[in-house]
Amino acid sequence: MDKGNEIISRLVKLKDITSSKDIKGLTAAMFPGTHCPLMGAAMAIRGIKDAVLLVVGTDECTYYTKHMTLHSEDFGGMGGRCVSAVLDSTDVTFGCKKMLDRAVDEMVQEYAPQAVFIVTTCVVEIIGDDTDAMADGYTEKYGIPFVSVHTEHFKCENHIPGIERTITACFDFMEETEKNNSVNIIGQRLGRFEDTELFKVLSENNIEIGMQLPCGCTVDEIKRASRAKMNIILNPIGLPLAKKMKAKFGTPYIFFDKFTNPDKIIKVYEELFEALEMSVPQKIYEMYTKAKNTVQEVSKQLEGITYIYGNTPFDCMEFNQFMVKLGMKPEIIQTVSVEPERDKEYLEDILANANPYVTKTANIAPLQYLYDIIKPNLYLGHEFAARLRKKGISVVRSDSASGMLGFEITEFISKELLRAANESRELKKEIAV
């Protein structure tokens, strides 16, 4: 108990957070290794079917990237489209251009790629090699697009910047083309877009799907992406590319994140159809009404349910706002960022009803000391369910929503919160006996 109280004394309350720098970790450890931007770049390039990933770095970085892609059918196994240019001591001392020139020439002859992503790692960034200039030179020499993606881990905490930078780099491929009535899908990280509610809505209304980046496209589709009438952005990682396309090609965009609040979802559907110059289908309003009714029903049974927020597929603050509106109370929120200006809409509602502690994501070991002090009903994120059940805490399983978009999310998570809350009530009764 003393250890738990000591840990709590170091944490900051949500009301006192002025920027992400105020968020304290429970330990000095962070997620290292495969969760660096290099992994994110590989995840993004995986979905660009005829592009080659060229990793430039130490043997360790190149080995782990190749090892990861071996297990992906999208990359093609051992002889697939993930290749490496490994630095030796001479390259580190005098620069890697001569070595990379030879590697690129060999790779182009063997793979005949439609585009190449030169992905740099920490050492390349530290020694300062100008891979952007090299990529421009290779584009001119070989007549295919080369782009450089910088994935230095010492400037960020996870793999997400690697995905974002890879998506944004695709802008250099794009050409001015004649417009049509299609929509591009940008930023989906997990699952198949074809399985989502949003895809079904678009298909039922005969709206053509153009480029899907990075969830499945070709280099040619990226080149012709400017023909779309609009971009639908499914995650913040797609926003930098969307802004570039709007500035150059005039392509408007809407942000259709994994929202949980049905009022937020209906608003973005209305924005979508307005931009497409179409009436909102009646079916969407029917889905909205059904989702609102579900929320109203579960809220009667979720009043006062307390929780620790760890990690979900949803936007952290939007989801916490949704749960607070259901009558739930956050005790601890784990997150990598809180931006008071960006999150203002969500923070106002959360703070009007609760003032939880805030800590960095992915420090589950020291959290164990807090369970007997805080005694929450629910844990949202990844933890050992058996360990939590002994404390009367139920795990909310949200990973199934990773590939969802639209009101299907509201329906799913509302019922899952209710299931977990009922389970927690039973667990706490058993413990009390």
Side-chain angles (χ1 to χ4, degrees):
M1 197 72 78
D2 290 341
K3 180 68 172 177
N5 287 322
E6 188 274 326
I7 290 173
I8 283 182
S9 70
R10 290 190 272 114
L11 298 182
V12 178
K13 290 273 194 172
L14 182 60
K15 189 175 182 180
D16 299 319
I17 298 288
T18 59
S19 74
S20 297
K21 292 180 180 179
D22 295 328
I23 304 173
K24 308 295 183 184
L26 299 181
T27 68
M30 291 168 54
F31 258 50
T34 56
H35 288 75
C36 77
L38 174 57
M39 176 187 177
M43 292 170 65
I45 297 166
R46 177 182 59 189
I48 305 172
K49 301 171 185 176
D50 46 2
V52 166
L53 163 62
L54 173 55
V55 183
V56 185
T58 63
D59 50 3
E60 183 178 28
C61 291
T62 55
Y63 168 79
Y64 282 118
T65 309
K66 186 65 176 180
H67 186 269
M68 181 187 79
T69 61
L70 283 176
H71 301 286
S72 171
E73 293 181 3
D74 295 323
F75 273 105
M78 180 62 74
R81 52 192 183 85
C82 172
V83 298
S84 306
V86 182
L87 302 175
D88 61 20
S89 57
T90 300
D91 301 320
V92 173
T93 304
F94 298 104
C96 68
K97 186 177 187 306
K98 288 184 178 180
M99 177 275 293
L100 196 56
D101 286 346
R102 295 192 300 270
V104 166
D105 191 63
E106 181 180 336
M107 182 261 309
V108 170
Q109 292 184 47
E110 183 174 347
Y111 287 85
Q114 297 300 302
V116 178
F117 290 82
I118 301 174
V119 180
T120 66
T121 54
C122 291
V123 172
V124 182
E125 296 300 319
I126 290 171
I127 63 179
D129 278 351
D130 190 352
T131 53
D132 292 333
M134 294 182 207
D136 291 341
Y138 298 142
T139 298
E140 184 176 349
K141 179 177 179 180
Y142 296 102
I144 59 173
F146 279 77
V147 291
S148 178
V149 180
H150 305 274
T151 63
E152 66 280 14
H153 195 187
F154 54 83
K155 289 185 179 179
C156 54
E157 297 181 0
N158 55 46
H159 64 291
I160 302 301
I163 306 176
E164 179 181 297
R165 292 170 192 174
T166 304
I167 291 173
T168 307
C170 290
F171 177 76
D172 293 342
F173 299 4
M174 296 179 182
E175 303 166 353
E176 188 80 59
T177 56
E178 186 176 344
K179 299 287 185 183
N180 62 16
N181 289 318
S182 65
V183 297
N184 293 324
I185 306 299
I186 302 175
Q188 183 172 359
R189 292 178 50 211
L190 300 169
R192 281 169 25 96
F193 182 65
E194 290 78 3
D195 296 332
T196 66
E197 172 191 299
L198 177 57
F199 174 81
K200 295 182 179 70
V201 167
L202 296 174
S203 298
E204 289 170 359
N205 289 278
N206 300 312
I207 300 167
E208 180 187 350
I209 309 296
M211 175 189 70
Q212 295 188 45
L213 182 68
C215 50
C217 64
T218 64
V219 172
D220 187 57
E221 287 171 336
I222 295 173
K223 289 179 179 179
R224 295 183 290 115
S226 67
R227 67 178 181 163
K229 188 168 187 175
M230 67 177 303
N231 290 323
I232 302 177
I233 311 305
L234 305 184
N235 187 283
I237 59 175
L239 289 173
L241 174 59
K243 291 174 182 177
K244 281 177 171 282
M245 290 183 67
K246 184 176 181 181
K248 183 173 181 178
F249 305 119
T251 311
Y253 66 89
I254 65 162
F255 185 45
F256 201 124
D257 203 355
K258 291 184 183 299
F259 298 120
T260 51
N261 187 332
D263 293 329
K264 197 85 174 174
I265 297 167
I266 190 62
K267 182 179 179 182
V268 77
Y269 266 128
E270 289 173 339
E271 290 175 0
L272 169 61
F273 280 91
E274 181 181 358
L276 292 170
E277 301 176 292
M278 299 171 64
S279 299
V280 180
Q282 182 59 33
K283 183 178 179 179
I284 289 179
Y285 287 113
E286 292 171 1
M287 290 191 293
Y288 171 59
T289 300
K290 183 172 181 290
K292 289 283 284 186
N293 290 338
T294 298
V295 170
Q296 187 175 5
E297 283 299 312
V298 301
S299 66
K300 298 173 185 176
Q301 302 174 69
L302 292 174
E303 183 73 36
I305 293 293
T306 59
Y307 65 89
I308 294 175
Y309 179 87
N311 184 48
T312 72
F314 316 122
D315 177 274
C316 174
M317 291 303 160
E318 193 270 343
F319 185 32
N320 276 276
Q321 178 202 44
F322 174 70
M323 289 188 287
V324 166
K325 286 188 172 183
L326 289 174
M328 300 172 68
K329 182 183 177 183
E331 299 287 356
I332 298 176
I333 293 177
Q334 300 176 69
T335 182
V336 294
S337 68
V338 176
E339 300 296 338
E341 197 57 41
R342 180 197 66 191
D343 299 324
K344 183 178 180 180
E345 171 192 351
Y346 307 133
L347 292 172
E348 286 179 352
D349 283 333
I350 296 170
L351 290 171
N353 296 276
N355 188 22
Y357 292 103
V358 181
T359 185
K360 282 187 178 286
T361 302
N363 283 169
I364 63 173
L367 271 177
Q368 296 173 53
Y369 294 102
L370 306 185
Y371 297 152
D372 288 330
I373 298 174
I374 294 174
K375 299 179 180 180
N377 296 101
L378 309 180
Y379 187 100
L380 292 96
H382 302 124
E383 237 282 37
F384 294 103
R387 178 163 63 199
L388 292 172
R389 280 197 293 268
K390 292 177 182 178
K391 304 290 185 180
I393 306 169
S394 179
V395 175
V396 176
R397 305 184 184 98
S398 60
D399 285 352
S400 297
S402 296
M404 296 181 183
L405 288 165
F407 297 114
E408 60 182 346
I409 289 178
T410 309
E411 295 283 346
F412 167 81
I413 199 60
S414 296
K415 293 172 183 176
E416 173 58 17
L417 288 171
L418 180 58
R419 180 207 63 77
N422 288 335
E423 180 181 67
S424 174
R425 291 187 182 103
E426 292 302 315
L427 291 170
K428 289 187 182 297
K429 286 180 184 177
E430 294 173 8
I431 292 171
V433 173

